[in-house]
Amino acid sequence: MDAGFVKNLIIKSIKDNGYEFFGDIPLEFSEHADVSSSVAFLIKKENPAEIAKNIAKKIEDNGEFEKIQAQGPFLNFYFSDKTKFEILTEALAGMALKPLQKNSGKTILIDYSSPNIAKPFGVGHLRSTIIGQAIYNLYNFLGYKCIGDNHIGDWGTQFGKLIYQIKTKKIPLESLTIKKLEELYIDFHKQNNDSLEQLARDEFKKLEQGDVENIRIWAECKRISLEEFSRIYDLLGVKIDYDYGESYYNELASHVILELKEKGIAQQSQGAWIVEFPDMPPCVLQKSDGASTYFARDLAAIKFRIEEFNPDIIAYEIGSEQSLYMKQLFATAKMMGIEKDFKHIAHGLIKSKEGKFSTREGNTIHLEDVINEAINRSRELLKDSDVNIDELSKQVGIGAIKYNDLSQDRENDIIFDWDKILNLRGNSGPYIQYAHARILSVLEKAGFFELKDLPNKIEDNESRIISKMFCFPEILKQSADNFAPHTLCNYIFSLAQDFSNFYNQNPIIDASDETIKNFRLAICKATGDIIKISLDILGIEAPGRM
Ligand code: ARG
């Protein structure tokens, strides 16, 4: 018994009623039934309540359901105990997921993380890193070929500024650190005058033209930054397949610029070349001094990615402040004759409880400091645990930061509130990790068990968990379709809550007979598996003990 089975019953009844509907039948998990469908809203005929009633009436049931009922416009399904048993058996064997996991034959390229070189890794790029990686893992799980590309900002006029600073201040390259680079950058902007900007532009131009000295300085800045980034990625447990970075496209961008000029897509404007749109402001392709732009390099990246990987979907996990830019980019690709499924996976800002996320001095907050604080706070929280606290506080602290980000609708601005992030009772990473660890400990204590028979009665607490199990594959699909990890997070949170009620109210190891005990242990095991699979997808560790 799976979602496909229920959908087919609905489709058949729709036909038998003489209604028309194309597309995927929506299924939702509901508080009022085991599973529910709002398909009646999507059929344009008489009123939805009437439609739901008619569909319910004509569904052919072979004992799979206790009842099928329209409640207003919703179509509610209540599983029979036999079906519940079947769902649990399938969840236990991981069977429900098999059809989802077969090779889809599709490739998705995800551009994520993409920090800028010569700046420390700020919290701003954290969201892209965490969400991008979760989406990568999710699609991977669903049988896609995934390509992760870290479009590092390692090219552009900002390097002219750094090179200018390093040269005029005669700073030995060996003495450079990421901190020093940041200071030089901030110092440049403090001086803030036009002639300086021009000198910086000249340095960048020399870099673009292959000046040996400038390339040497740039390469050193890049090396230092990449070292810093990889330390952060290691801490976060993130691994991105490629990091071509913007500099890789310097040469290719000049071809794209030429192509756009020749095709008449680019227009000259005050010495620069721009692309105009009927419904959006123009984008600069080439500056008046001949330098390429972020936009030109992104167009070059599109061409390269198509040639190299031929992806079906090209997705960008980038902040929503670049939404207009993304539209301009996709529209330009279309003008160039590139028909691809482009997606902007936009995220909002991270804010602290006080408002903006920055230090008192107005500097950006460094990600590493935030990670370290999370680890220290977790250490405090878990100090009574008898497990290796170093390892555990890292797993919990980092998991908490990730879960905080992933569990909120990514398009919204999110609040960084330590009390909520580490709340062991609320919708938090530690809560889910704890539920999982508790399940493992029950299973360990119980030892061998075998699900064989259906108990005389299935309790409500058990039923609720089983109907959630039924929905898991649908949740994964919805979460992928909408690039919405929070759908998965909210699902496992509510599953963990149901589990907690079950655990507190229904004796497991001390159940009144063997059949019930085995049945309950099966619920524990299958619930634990679902949480573990989900945490893996979300990139969050699942400590065995807490
Ligand atoms: N480095 C850019 C930034 O920090 C993000 C790059 C995103 N990817 C892209 N292909 N434009 O704003």
Side-chain angles (χ1 to χ4, degrees), residues 121-145:
F121 207 116
V123 285
H125 288 100
L126 177 66
R127 297 208 73 189
S128 178
T129 308
I130 293 176
I131 299 170
Q133 186 67 59
I135 288 171
Y136 179 101
N137 298 343
L138 178 56
Y139 274 84
N140 208 10
F141 187 83
L142 297 182
Y144 279 70
K145 177 161 190 238

Side-chain angles (χ1 to χ4, degrees), residues 111 114-116 125 151 153 246 294 298 316 318 322 325-326:
D111 175 324
S114 311
N116 298 319
H125 288 100
H151 195 67
E246 288 188 50
Y294 177 60
D298 253 332
Y316 299 76
I318 314 183
Q322 291 190 44
Y325 171 74
M326 284 280 109

Side-chain angles (χ1 to χ4, degrees), residues 9-28:
L9 287 182
I10 299 176
I11 291 172
K12 177 143 193 313
S13 172
I14 288 175
K15 280 207 194 101
D16 292 346
N17 272 292
Y19 297 134
E20 262 192 7
F21 178 74
F22 305 98
D24 193 29
I25 304 282
L27 288 184
E28 297 94 24

